[in-house]
Amino acid sequence: MEKKVTVIGAGNVGATTAQRIAEKELADVVLLDVVEGIPQGKGLDLFESSPVEGFNARVIGTQDYDETRDSDLVIVTAGVTRKPGMSRDDLLMTNAKIVGEVVEQAVLRSPDAILLVVTNPLDVMCAVAKKVSGFPREKVIGMAGVLDSARFRSFLAMELDVSVENVSAMVMGGHGDSMVPLPRYTTVAGIPVTQLLPQKTIDELIRRTRNGGAEIVNLLKSGSAFYAPSAAVAEMAESILKDQKKILPSSAYLMGEYGIDGVYIGVPVKLGAGGIEQILEIELSETERSLLHSSAEDVRATLSRLGQS
Ligand code: TXD
Protein backbone atom coordinates (compact mmCIF):
# COMPACT_ATOMS: atom_id res chain seq x y z
CA MET A 1 0.00 0.00 0.00
CA GLU A 2 1.01 3.61 -0.40
CA LYS A 3 0.92 4.38 3.32
CA LYS A 4 2.67 2.74 6.24
CA VAL A 5 1.45 2.67 9.83
CA THR A 6 3.36 1.40 12.86
CA VAL A 7 1.36 0.28 15.88
CA ILE A 8 3.52 0.05 19.00
CA GLY A 9 2.10 -2.33 21.59
CA ALA A 10 0.53 -5.52 20.26
CA GLY A 11 -1.91 -5.90 23.14
CA ASN A 12 -5.69 -5.61 23.00
CA VAL A 13 -5.93 -2.07 21.62
CA GLY A 14 -2.83 -2.32 19.40
CA ALA A 15 -3.72 -5.62 17.74
CA THR A 16 -7.36 -4.63 17.21
CA THR A 17 -6.26 -1.28 15.78
CA ALA A 18 -3.90 -3.08 13.38
CA GLN A 19 -6.81 -5.28 12.31
CA ARG A 20 -9.13 -2.32 11.68
CA ILE A 21 -6.50 -0.40 9.70
CA ALA A 22 -5.62 -3.43 7.56
CA GLU A 23 -9.26 -4.37 6.94
CA LYS A 24 -10.05 -0.82 5.86
CA GLU A 25 -6.98 -0.94 3.59
CA LEU A 26 -5.70 2.32 5.00
CA ALA A 27 -2.05 1.26 5.03
CA ASP A 28 0.46 -1.54 5.45
CA VAL A 29 0.87 -2.21 9.14
CA VAL A 30 3.90 -2.96 11.32
CA LEU A 31 2.92 -4.25 14.74
CA LEU A 32 5.69 -3.92 17.32
CA ASP A 33 5.93 -5.15 20.92
CA VAL A 34 8.65 -5.96 23.45
CA VAL A 35 7.28 -9.42 24.16
CA GLU A 36 8.94 -11.91 21.86
CA GLY A 37 6.61 -13.79 19.52
CA ILE A 38 3.41 -11.87 20.29
CA PRO A 39 3.67 -9.22 17.56
CA GLN A 40 5.04 -11.78 15.09
CA GLY A 41 2.25 -14.26 15.88
CA LYS A 42 -0.56 -11.70 15.83
CA GLY A 43 0.85 -10.00 12.72
CA LEU A 44 1.07 -13.27 10.79
CA ASP A 45 -2.35 -14.45 11.98
CA LEU A 46 -3.85 -11.12 10.89
CA PHE A 47 -2.16 -11.27 7.49
CA GLU A 48 -3.45 -14.82 7.05
CA SER A 49 -6.99 -13.47 7.46
CA SER A 50 -6.52 -11.22 4.43
CA PRO A 51 -7.24 -13.82 1.70
CA VAL A 52 -10.54 -14.65 3.41
CA GLU A 53 -11.51 -11.09 4.33
CA GLY A 54 -10.23 -9.86 0.99
CA PHE A 55 -8.06 -6.96 2.01
CA ASN A 56 -4.79 -5.94 0.40
CA ALA A 57 -2.56 -4.70 3.16
CA ARG A 58 0.69 -6.21 4.37
CA VAL A 59 0.88 -6.84 8.08
CA ILE A 60 4.02 -7.83 9.91
CA GLY A 61 4.88 -8.20 13.57
CA THR A 62 8.30 -7.42 14.96
CA GLN A 63 10.44 -6.33 17.91
CA ASP A 64 12.83 -4.49 15.62
CA TYR A 65 12.34 -0.73 15.16
CA ASP A 66 14.23 -0.84 11.86
CA GLU A 67 11.12 -2.46 10.36
CA THR A 68 9.13 0.67 11.25
CA ARG A 69 11.30 2.91 9.08
CA ASP A 70 9.50 5.69 7.15
CA SER A 71 6.08 5.22 8.68
CA ASP A 72 3.49 7.90 7.90
CA LEU A 73 1.73 7.37 11.20
CA VAL A 74 2.96 5.86 14.47
CA ILE A 75 0.28 4.79 16.93
CA VAL A 76 1.46 4.36 20.53
CA THR A 77 -0.53 1.86 22.60
CA ALA A 78 2.41 0.41 24.54
CA GLY A 79 2.00 0.36 28.28
CA VAL A 80 0.19 -1.33 31.10
CA THR A 81 -3.57 -1.13 31.65
CA ARG A 82 -5.71 -0.37 34.65
CA LYS A 83 -6.70 -3.15 37.02
CA PRO A 84 -10.05 -2.85 38.84
CA GLY A 85 -9.86 -0.08 41.43
CA MET A 86 -6.73 1.42 39.89
CA SER A 87 -6.94 5.00 38.57
CA ARG A 88 -5.46 6.09 35.27
CA ASP A 89 -2.91 8.13 37.21
CA ASP A 90 -1.61 5.02 38.96
CA LEU A 91 -0.25 4.07 35.59
CA LEU A 92 1.60 7.32 35.32
CA MET A 93 5.22 6.52 36.12
CA THR A 94 5.38 3.14 34.38
CA ASN A 95 3.72 4.30 31.20
CA ALA A 96 5.68 7.57 31.00
CA LYS A 97 8.89 5.56 30.89
CA ILE A 98 7.52 3.16 28.27
CA VAL A 99 6.08 5.92 26.06
CA GLY A 100 9.32 7.93 26.28
CA GLU A 101 11.37 4.94 25.17
CA VAL A 102 9.14 3.83 22.31
CA VAL A 103 8.67 7.34 20.92
CA GLU A 104 12.42 7.93 20.97
CA GLN A 105 13.04 4.74 18.97
CA ALA A 106 10.17 5.33 16.54
CA VAL A 107 10.93 8.94 15.62
CA LEU A 108 14.57 8.09 14.93
CA ARG A 109 13.33 5.89 12.05
CA SER A 110 10.28 7.97 11.04
CA PRO A 111 11.15 11.64 11.54
CA ASP A 112 8.25 12.76 9.32
CA ALA A 113 5.56 10.65 10.94
CA ILE A 114 2.50 11.83 12.81
CA LEU A 115 2.26 10.43 16.35
CA LEU A 116 -1.10 9.24 17.61
CA VAL A 117 -0.94 8.49 21.32
CA VAL A 118 -3.37 6.11 23.04
CA THR A 119 -1.57 5.04 26.24
CA ASN A 120 -3.01 6.29 29.55
CA PRO A 121 -2.99 8.66 31.32
CA LEU A 122 -3.65 9.98 27.86
CA ASP A 123 -3.18 13.74 27.99
CA VAL A 124 0.02 13.41 29.99
CA MET A 125 1.44 10.71 27.71
CA CYS A 126 0.88 13.09 24.79
CA ALA A 127 3.06 15.65 26.57
CA VAL A 128 5.76 13.01 27.08
CA ALA A 129 5.59 12.06 23.38
CA LYS A 130 5.78 15.70 22.28
CA LYS A 131 8.76 16.40 24.53
CA VAL A 132 10.73 13.30 23.55
CA SER A 133 10.01 13.63 19.81
CA GLY A 134 10.57 17.37 19.62
CA PHE A 135 7.74 17.38 17.05
CA PRO A 136 5.48 20.40 16.58
CA ARG A 137 2.03 20.20 18.16
CA GLU A 138 0.35 19.51 14.82
CA LYS A 139 2.06 16.13 14.74
CA VAL A 140 1.46 14.77 18.24
CA ILE A 141 -2.21 13.98 18.86
CA GLY A 142 -4.04 12.00 21.51
CA MET A 143 -7.06 9.71 21.17
CA ALA A 144 -9.72 9.99 23.86
CA GLY A 145 -12.55 12.32 22.83
CA VAL A 146 -13.71 10.13 19.95
CA LEU A 147 -14.02 7.21 22.37
CA ASP A 148 -15.68 9.24 25.12
CA SER A 149 -18.10 10.73 22.56
CA ALA A 150 -18.82 7.26 21.14
CA ARG A 151 -19.75 6.06 24.62
CA PHE A 152 -22.02 9.07 25.17
CA ARG A 153 -23.59 8.49 21.71
CA SER A 154 -24.17 4.81 22.50
CA PHE A 155 -25.89 5.57 25.80
CA LEU A 156 -28.06 8.28 24.19
CA ALA A 157 -29.06 5.96 21.34
CA MET A 158 -30.00 3.23 23.85
CA GLU A 159 -32.01 5.69 25.94
CA LEU A 160 -33.89 7.17 22.97
CA ASP A 161 -34.13 3.88 21.04
CA VAL A 162 -32.78 5.50 17.88
CA SER A 163 -29.94 4.66 15.50
CA VAL A 164 -26.49 5.45 16.86
CA GLU A 165 -25.82 7.06 13.51
CA ASN A 166 -28.38 9.74 14.33
CA VAL A 167 -26.51 10.76 17.45
CA SER A 168 -23.67 13.22 17.26
CA ALA A 169 -21.90 14.21 20.48
CA MET A 170 -19.08 16.36 21.70
CA VAL A 171 -16.95 15.51 24.72
CA MET A 172 -14.09 17.86 25.57
CA GLY A 173 -11.55 18.02 28.37
CA GLY A 174 -9.07 15.53 29.74
CA HIS A 175 -9.52 11.78 29.41
CA GLY A 176 -10.32 11.17 33.03
CA ASP A 177 -12.95 11.73 35.61
CA SER A 178 -13.02 15.42 34.72
CA MET A 179 -13.95 14.98 31.05
CA VAL A 180 -16.51 17.51 29.83
CA PRO A 181 -19.46 16.12 27.84
CA LEU A 182 -21.33 18.98 26.17
CA PRO A 183 -25.09 18.32 25.86
CA ARG A 184 -25.55 21.71 24.13
CA TYR A 185 -23.41 20.42 21.25
CA THR A 186 -24.98 16.97 21.25
CA THR A 187 -27.71 16.34 18.71
CA VAL A 188 -30.01 13.60 17.45
CA ALA A 189 -30.71 14.05 13.73
CA GLY A 190 -29.85 17.71 14.22
CA ILE A 191 -32.16 18.14 17.24
CA PRO A 192 -30.35 19.27 20.42
CA VAL A 193 -30.55 16.45 22.94
CA THR A 194 -31.62 18.99 25.56
CA GLN A 195 -35.00 19.12 23.71
CA LEU A 196 -35.40 15.34 23.75
CA LEU A 197 -34.46 14.25 27.25
CA PRO A 198 -34.99 15.71 30.73
CA GLN A 199 -31.85 17.16 32.33
CA LYS A 200 -31.90 14.43 34.99
CA THR A 201 -31.56 11.69 32.36
CA ILE A 202 -28.84 13.61 30.50
CA ASP A 203 -26.92 14.00 33.78
CA GLU A 204 -27.23 10.27 34.42
CA LEU A 205 -25.85 9.44 30.94
CA ILE A 206 -23.00 11.93 31.44
CA ARG A 207 -22.15 10.20 34.69
CA ARG A 208 -22.11 6.84 32.90
CA THR A 209 -19.92 8.31 30.14
CA ARG A 210 -17.40 9.64 32.66
CA ASN A 211 -17.34 6.20 34.22
CA GLY A 212 -17.34 4.41 30.84
CA GLY A 213 -13.79 3.06 30.99
CA ALA A 214 -14.18 1.80 34.57
CA GLU A 215 -17.51 0.14 33.71
CA ILE A 216 -15.75 -2.08 31.16
CA VAL A 217 -12.73 -2.71 33.43
CA ASN A 218 -15.05 -3.88 36.21
CA LEU A 219 -16.87 -6.23 33.86
CA LEU A 220 -13.77 -7.70 32.24
CA LYS A 221 -11.89 -8.06 35.55
CA SER A 222 -8.61 -8.30 33.66
CA GLY A 223 -7.72 -5.82 30.92
CA SER A 224 -9.64 -2.79 29.72
CA ALA A 225 -11.80 -1.78 26.76
CA PHE A 226 -10.44 -2.28 23.27
CA TYR A 227 -13.19 -2.62 20.63
CA ALA A 228 -14.44 0.95 20.96
CA PRO A 229 -10.96 2.40 21.61
CA SER A 230 -9.52 0.77 18.48
CA ALA A 231 -12.50 1.93 16.41
CA ALA A 232 -11.84 5.47 17.63
CA VAL A 233 -8.14 5.24 16.76
CA ALA A 234 -8.97 3.89 13.30
CA GLU A 235 -11.36 6.79 12.62
CA MET A 236 -8.64 9.30 13.50
CA ALA A 237 -6.03 7.37 11.48
CA GLU A 238 -8.33 7.29 8.45
CA SER A 239 -8.94 11.04 8.60
CA ILE A 240 -5.17 11.65 8.67
CA LEU A 241 -4.12 9.05 6.09
CA LYS A 242 -6.87 9.98 3.60
CA ASP A 243 -6.68 13.70 4.39
CA GLN A 244 -10.41 13.65 5.15
CA LYS A 245 -10.27 16.72 7.39
CA LYS A 246 -12.86 15.34 9.80
CA ILE A 247 -13.56 17.39 12.90
CA LEU A 248 -12.99 15.05 15.82
CA PRO A 249 -12.50 15.67 19.53
CA SER A 250 -8.83 14.95 20.14
CA SER A 251 -6.20 15.72 22.72
CA ALA A 252 -4.16 18.68 21.46
CA TYR A 253 -1.46 20.90 22.95
CA LEU A 254 -3.10 24.24 23.63
CA MET A 255 -1.22 27.49 23.26
CA GLY A 256 -3.76 30.00 24.50
CA GLU A 257 -6.89 28.48 22.92
CA TYR A 258 -9.81 28.52 25.39
CA GLY A 259 -7.53 30.56 27.65
CA ILE A 260 -5.40 27.44 28.34
CA ASP A 261 -1.68 27.31 27.71
CA GLY A 262 0.99 24.60 27.70
CA VAL A 263 -1.14 21.54 28.35
CA TYR A 264 -2.77 18.72 26.34
CA ILE A 265 -6.55 18.62 26.58
CA GLY A 266 -9.44 17.32 24.47
CA VAL A 267 -10.82 19.90 22.03
CA PRO A 268 -12.43 19.70 18.59
CA VAL A 269 -9.74 19.60 15.90
CA LYS A 270 -9.62 19.16 12.14
CA LEU A 271 -7.53 16.08 11.31
CA GLY A 272 -5.90 15.80 7.89
CA ALA A 273 -2.64 14.91 6.17
CA GLY A 274 -0.84 17.56 8.22
CA GLY A 275 -2.13 16.12 11.49
CA ILE A 276 -3.96 18.81 13.44
CA GLU A 277 -4.87 21.32 10.75
CA GLN A 278 -7.07 23.49 12.94
CA ILE A 279 -8.16 23.76 16.55
CA LEU A 280 -11.76 24.88 16.69
CA GLU A 281 -12.69 27.30 19.44
CA ILE A 282 -16.38 26.79 20.09
CA GLU A 283 -18.42 29.06 22.28
CA LEU A 284 -18.70 27.77 25.85
CA SER A 285 -20.95 28.87 28.70
CA GLU A 286 -19.34 30.01 31.95
CA THR A 287 -20.00 26.59 33.52
CA GLU A 288 -18.63 24.64 30.54
CA ARG A 289 -15.55 26.83 30.41
CA SER A 290 -14.84 26.40 34.09
CA LEU A 291 -15.25 22.61 33.78
CA LEU A 292 -12.74 22.64 30.89
CA HIS A 293 -10.33 24.75 32.91
CA SER A 294 -10.53 22.51 35.95
CA SER A 295 -10.00 19.47 33.70
CA ALA A 296 -6.87 21.20 32.31
CA GLU A 297 -5.70 21.84 35.87
CA ASP A 298 -6.10 18.12 36.63
CA VAL A 299 -3.85 17.30 33.67
CA ARG A 300 -1.36 19.93 34.77
CA ALA A 301 -1.29 18.48 38.29
CA THR A 302 -0.57 15.00 36.90
CA LEU A 303 2.19 16.46 34.74
CA SER A 304 3.79 18.05 37.76
CA ARG A 305 3.65 14.73 39.65
CA LEU A 306 5.74 13.46 36.75
CA GLY A 307 8.09 16.41 37.12
CA GLN A 308 7.23 17.72 33.66
CA SER A 309 5.23 20.86 34.32
O1 TXD B 1 -9.01 6.40 25.36
C1 TXD B 1 -7.90 5.98 25.45
N1 TXD B 1 -6.85 6.75 25.16
C2 TXD B 1 -7.64 4.59 25.90
C3 TXD B 1 -6.35 4.28 26.47
C4 TXD B 1 -8.57 3.56 25.67
C5 TXD B 1 -8.23 2.25 25.91
C6 TXD B 1 -6.91 1.85 26.40
N2 TXD B 1 -6.14 2.94 26.85
C7 TXD B 1 -4.74 2.68 27.23
O2 TXD B 1 -4.02 2.12 26.13
C8 TXD B 1 -4.56 1.66 28.34
O3 TXD B 1 -4.79 2.23 29.61
C9 TXD B 1 -3.12 1.28 28.12
O4 TXD B 1 -2.27 2.28 28.68
C10 TXD B 1 -2.96 1.31 26.60
C11 TXD B 1 -2.99 -0.07 25.92
O5 TXD B 1 -4.15 -0.76 26.28
P1 TXD B 1 -4.32 -2.33 25.93
O6 TXD B 1 -5.65 -2.74 26.39
O7 TXD B 1 -3.91 -2.59 24.53
O8 TXD B 1 -3.20 -2.95 26.89
P2 TXD B 1 -2.44 -4.37 26.76
O9 TXD B 1 -3.35 -5.37 26.12
O10 TXD B 1 -1.85 -4.64 28.09
O11 TXD B 1 -1.28 -4.06 25.72
C12 TXD B 1 -0.20 -3.24 25.99
C13 TXD B 1 0.95 -3.80 25.22
C14 TXD B 1 1.42 -5.18 25.71
O12 TXD B 1 1.39 -6.11 24.64
C15 TXD B 1 2.84 -4.93 26.20
O13 TXD B 1 3.72 -6.04 25.99
C16 TXD B 1 3.23 -3.73 25.34
O14 TXD B 1 2.07 -2.91 25.33
N3 TXD B 1 4.39 -3.03 25.84
C17 TXD B 1 5.36 -2.56 25.03
N4 TXD B 1 5.49 -2.59 23.69
C18 TXD B 1 6.61 -2.04 23.17
N5 TXD B 1 7.56 -1.46 23.92
C19 TXD B 1 7.47 -1.39 25.26
N6 TXD B 1 8.42 -0.80 25.98
C20 TXD B 1 6.32 -1.96 25.86
N7 TXD B 1 5.90 -2.08 27.16
C21 TXD B 1 4.72 -2.73 27.12
Side-chain angles (χ1 to χ4, degrees):
M1 305 223 68
E2 207 182 310
K3 302 281 185 186
K4 177 172 176 179
V5 171
T6 289
V7 181
I8 306 181
N12 280 337
V13 177
T16 321
T17 297
Q19 178 185 355
R20 295 195 191 279
I21 289 174
E23 287 183 352
K24 286 173 187 278
E25 296 186 323
L26 299 181
D28 290 328
V29 181
V30 178
L31 188 58
L32 185 144
D33 202 286
V34 272
V35 181
E36 198 189 333
I38 296 289
Q40 290 88 344
K42 290 190 180 181
L44 182 60
D45 189 17
L46 182 48
F47 183 65
E48 288 168 357
S49 74
S50 66
V52 183
E53 284 292 325
F55 60 83
N56 289 283
R58 293 300 306 267
V59 184
I60 61 155
T62 185
Q63 284 163 278
D64 181 358
Y65 279 89
D66 284 342
E67 305 258 26
T68 71
R69 205 169 282 286
D70 297 327
S71 294
D72 299 282
L73 178 67
V74 174
I75 299 170
V76 179
T77 77
V80 295
T81 54
R82 280 197 291 167
K83 309 280 180 301
M86 192 177 173
S87 84
R88 289 185 178 91
D89 282 0
D90 294 336
L91 304 178
L92 178 64
M93 299 299 168
T94 313
N95 284 355
K97 188 165 177 288
I98 294 173
V99 168
E101 284 166 8
V102 306
V103 166
E104 187 179 3
Q105 292 302 317
V107 301
L108 270 177
R109 275 80 170 185
S110 302
D112 298 321
I114 288 168
L115 296 175
L116 182 48
V117 179
V118 182
T119 306
N120 272 327
L122 191 266
D123 306 281
V124 175
M125 293 305 116
C126 290
V128 171
K130 183 172 182 294
K131 189 172 181 189
V132 171
S133 65
F135 283 6
R137 69 166 174 169
E138 292 72 25
K139 298 181 70 181
V140 186
I141 311 156
M143 187 292 288
V146 177
L147 170 64
D148 297 330
S149 305
R151 287 184 171 142
F152 194 30
R153 291 167 66 191
S154 304
F155 300 146
L156 287 164
M158 284 193 268
E159 180 66 32
L160 290 162
D161 191 24
V162 297
S163 164
V164 287
E165 289 180 68
N166 273 161
V167 186
S168 163
M170 176 60 70
V171 175
M172 289 173 61
H175 184 52
D177 303 330
S178 64
M179 71 177 74
V180 189
L182 295 173
R184 284 201 310 134
Y185 290 101
T186 298
T187 57
V188 180
I191 308 160
V193 74
T194 43
Q195 291 180 25
L196 298 172
L197 287 171
Q199 192 58 44
K200 194 168 162 287
T201 312
I202 296 174
D203 289 344
E204 179 55 30
L205 300 183
I206 287 178
R207 202 192 52 73
R208 192 171 176 194
T209 302
R210 284 214 177 94
N211 197 41
E215 183 177 6
I216 304 286
V217 168
N218 290 333
L219 288 167
L220 293 180
K221 309 268 186 325
S222 78
S224 59
F226 56 98
Y227 290 115
S230 59
V233 176
E235 183 177 32
M236 293 174 74
E238 182 169 28
S239 192
I240 293 166
L241 293 164
K242 292 189 177 168
D243 194 25
Q244 286 176 328
K245 304 188 191 295
K246 273 192 182 175
I247 292 170
L248 295 169
S250 310
S251 185
Y253 185 77
L254 297 191
M255 295 163 73
E257 294 86 359
Y258 294 99
I260 296 170
D261 193 44
V263 75
Y264 268 88
I265 198 89
V267 288
V269 305
K270 188 198 286 178
L271 286 185
I276 294 179
E277 299 191 348
Q278 190 188 345
I279 294 176
L280 285 90
E281 280 194 79
I282 60 173
E283 185 201 305
L284 297 179
S285 68
E286 272 306 308
T287 317
E288 291 162 347
R289 200 177 162 84
S290 82
L291 284 171
L292 186 67
H293 276 247
S294 77
S295 185
E297 287 319 307
D298 283 356
V299 176
R300 220 187 280 280
T302 312
L303 263 176
S304 67
R305 283 206 287 291
L306 195 62
Q308 293 224 358
S309 56

